[in-house]
PDB file of all heavy atoms in Angstrom:
ATOM      1  N   ASN Z 357     -24.463  27.619   0.487  1.00  0.00           N
ATOM      2  CA  ASN Z 357     -25.382  27.943   1.585  1.00  0.00           C
ATOM      3  C   ASN Z 357     -24.698  28.733   2.683  1.00  0.00           C
ATOM      4  O   ASN Z 357     -25.302  29.601   3.300  1.00  0.00           O
ATOM      5  CB  ASN Z 357     -26.008  26.669   2.170  1.00  0.00           C
ATOM      6  CG  ASN Z 357     -27.049  26.079   1.250  1.00  0.00           C
ATOM      7  OD1 ASN Z 357     -27.615  26.769   0.414  1.00  0.00           O
ATOM      8  ND2 ASN Z 357     -27.284  24.794   1.393  1.00  0.00           N
ATOM      9  N   VAL Z 358     -23.424  28.408   2.943  1.00  0.00           N
ATOM     10  CA  VAL Z 358     -22.655  29.106   3.977  1.00  0.00           C
ATOM     11  C   VAL Z 358     -22.289  30.512   3.505  1.00  0.00           C
ATOM     12  O   VAL Z 358     -22.091  31.414   4.312  1.00  0.00           O
ATOM     13  CB  VAL Z 358     -21.391  28.298   4.343  1.00  0.00           C
ATOM     14  CG1 VAL Z 358     -20.474  29.070   5.259  1.00  0.00           C
ATOM     15  CG2 VAL Z 358     -21.776  26.974   4.971  1.00  0.00           C
ATOM     16  N   ASN Z 359     -22.213  30.697   2.173  1.00  0.00           N
ATOM     17  CA  ASN Z 359     -21.859  31.971   1.560  1.00  0.00           C
ATOM     18  C   ASN Z 359     -20.462  32.436   1.984  1.00  0.00           C
ATOM     19  O   ASN Z 359     -20.275  33.541   2.470  1.00  0.00           O
ATOM     20  CB  ASN Z 359     -22.920  33.042   1.864  1.00  0.00           C
ATOM     21  CG  ASN Z 359     -22.794  34.224   0.931  1.00  0.00           C
ATOM     22  OD1 ASN Z 359     -22.257  34.108  -0.167  1.00  0.00           O
ATOM     23  ND2 ASN Z 359     -23.295  35.364   1.359  1.00  0.00           N
ATOM     24  N   ASN Z 360     -19.495  31.540   1.785  1.00  0.00           N
ATOM     25  CA  ASN Z 360     -18.109  31.836   2.124  1.00  0.00           C
ATOM     26  C   ASN Z 360     -17.261  31.613   0.872  1.00  0.00           C
ATOM     27  O   ASN Z 360     -17.240  30.509   0.336  1.00  0.00           O
ATOM     28  CB  ASN Z 360     -17.652  30.930   3.270  1.00  0.00           C
ATOM     29  CG  ASN Z 360     -16.248  31.237   3.738  1.00  0.00           C
ATOM     30  OD1 ASN Z 360     -15.309  31.203   2.949  1.00  0.00           O
ATOM     31  ND2 ASN Z 360     -16.119  31.528   5.016  1.00  0.00           N
ATOM     32  N   SER Z 361     -16.566  32.653   0.425  1.00  0.00           N
ATOM     33  CA  SER Z 361     -15.816  32.554  -0.829  1.00  0.00           C
ATOM     34  C   SER Z 361     -14.675  31.546  -0.749  1.00  0.00           C
ATOM     35  O   SER Z 361     -14.345  30.904  -1.751  1.00  0.00           O
ATOM     36  CB  SER Z 361     -15.290  33.919  -1.254  1.00  0.00           C
ATOM     37  OG  SER Z 361     -14.385  34.420  -0.296  1.00  0.00           O
ATOM     38  N   LEU Z 362     -14.059  31.372   0.418  1.00  0.00           N
ATOM     39  CA  LEU Z 362     -12.974  30.412   0.560  1.00  0.00           C
ATOM     40  C   LEU Z 362     -13.471  28.998   0.279  1.00  0.00           C
ATOM     41  O   LEU Z 362     -12.912  28.284  -0.566  1.00  0.00           O
ATOM     42  CB  LEU Z 362     -12.360  30.479   1.960  1.00  0.00           C
ATOM     43  CG  LEU Z 362     -11.329  29.398   2.275  1.00  0.00           C
ATOM     44  CD1 LEU Z 362     -10.096  29.535   1.397  1.00  0.00           C
ATOM     45  CD2 LEU Z 362     -10.946  29.438   3.747  1.00  0.00           C
ATOM     46  N   PHE Z 363     -14.526  28.594   0.949  1.00  0.00           N
ATOM     47  CA  PHE Z 363     -15.025  27.233   0.795  1.00  0.00           C
ATOM     48  C   PHE Z 363     -15.664  27.021  -0.585  1.00  0.00           C
ATOM     49  O   PHE Z 363     -15.562  25.945  -1.165  1.00  0.00           O
ATOM     50  CB  PHE Z 363     -16.002  26.881   1.918  1.00  0.00           C
ATOM     51  CG  PHE Z 363     -15.355  26.977   3.271  1.00  0.00           C
ATOM     52  CD1 PHE Z 363     -15.773  27.930   4.187  1.00  0.00           C
ATOM     53  CD2 PHE Z 363     -14.307  26.145   3.608  1.00  0.00           C
ATOM     54  CE1 PHE Z 363     -15.161  28.030   5.418  1.00  0.00           C
ATOM     55  CE2 PHE Z 363     -13.686  26.243   4.843  1.00  0.00           C
ATOM     56  CZ  PHE Z 363     -14.108  27.186   5.757  1.00  0.00           C
ATOM     57  N   LYS Z 364     -16.273  28.070  -1.120  1.00  0.00           N
ATOM     58  CA  LYS Z 364     -16.846  27.971  -2.464  1.00  0.00           C
ATOM     59  C   LYS Z 364     -15.735  27.816  -3.494  1.00  0.00           C
ATOM     60  O   LYS Z 364     -15.825  26.977  -4.395  1.00  0.00           O
ATOM     61  CB  LYS Z 364     -17.688  29.216  -2.766  1.00  0.00           C
ATOM     62  CG  LYS Z 364     -18.381  29.160  -4.106  1.00  0.00           C
ATOM     63  CD  LYS Z 364     -19.239  30.386  -4.329  1.00  0.00           C
ATOM     64  CE  LYS Z 364     -19.904  30.349  -5.694  1.00  0.00           C
ATOM     65  NZ  LYS Z 364     -20.668  31.566  -5.969  1.00  0.00           N
ATOM     66  N   GLY Z 365     -14.669  28.596  -3.364  1.00  0.00           N
ATOM     67  CA  GLY Z 365     -13.542  28.497  -4.293  1.00  0.00           C
ATOM     68  C   GLY Z 365     -12.880  27.136  -4.255  1.00  0.00           C
ATOM     69  O   GLY Z 365     -12.537  26.565  -5.298  1.00  0.00           O
ATOM     70  N   ILE Z 366     -12.728  26.595  -3.061  1.00  0.00           N
ATOM     71  CA  ILE Z 366     -12.110  25.273  -2.916  1.00  0.00           C
ATOM     72  C   ILE Z 366     -13.002  24.200  -3.537  1.00  0.00           C
ATOM     73  O   ILE Z 366     -12.525  23.328  -4.270  1.00  0.00           O
ATOM     74  CB  ILE Z 366     -11.808  24.968  -1.435  1.00  0.00           C
ATOM     75  CG1 ILE Z 366     -10.694  25.890  -0.929  1.00  0.00           C
ATOM     76  CG2 ILE Z 366     -11.432  23.506  -1.238  1.00  0.00           C
ATOM     77  CD1 ILE Z 366     -10.485  25.852   0.563  1.00  0.00           C
ATOM     78  N   ALA Z 367     -14.297  24.270  -3.260  1.00  0.00           N
ATOM     79  CA  ALA Z 367     -15.230  23.279  -3.804  1.00  0.00           C
ATOM     80  C   ALA Z 367     -15.258  23.341  -5.333  1.00  0.00           C
ATOM     81  O   ALA Z 367     -15.267  22.306  -6.001  1.00  0.00           O
ATOM     82  CB  ALA Z 367     -16.630  23.490  -3.221  1.00  0.00           C
ATOM     83  N   LEU Z 368     -15.270  24.533  -5.888  1.00  0.00           N
ATOM     84  CA  LEU Z 368     -15.247  24.681  -7.346  1.00  0.00           C
ATOM     85  C   LEU Z 368     -13.958  24.108  -7.939  1.00  0.00           C
ATOM     86  O   LEU Z 368     -13.978  23.436  -8.974  1.00  0.00           O
ATOM     87  CB  LEU Z 368     -15.391  26.153  -7.735  1.00  0.00           C
ATOM     88  CG  LEU Z 368     -16.779  26.757  -7.551  1.00  0.00           C
ATOM     89  CD1 LEU Z 368     -16.704  28.285  -7.583  1.00  0.00           C
ATOM     90  CD2 LEU Z 368     -17.736  26.239  -8.603  1.00  0.00           C
ATOM     91  N   ALA Z 369     -12.848  24.344  -7.261  1.00  0.00           N
ATOM     92  CA  ALA Z 369     -11.556  23.853  -7.757  1.00  0.00           C
ATOM     93  C   ALA Z 369     -11.492  22.331  -7.746  1.00  0.00           C
ATOM     94  O   ALA Z 369     -11.050  21.719  -8.725  1.00  0.00           O
ATOM     95  CB  ALA Z 369     -10.421  24.431  -6.919  1.00  0.00           C
TER      96      ALA Z 369
END
Side-chain angles (χ1 to χ4, degrees):
N357 286 337
V358 172
N359 197 23
N360 184 303
S361 63
L362 173 65
F363 300 114
K364 183 178 178 184
I366 292 170
L368 287 164

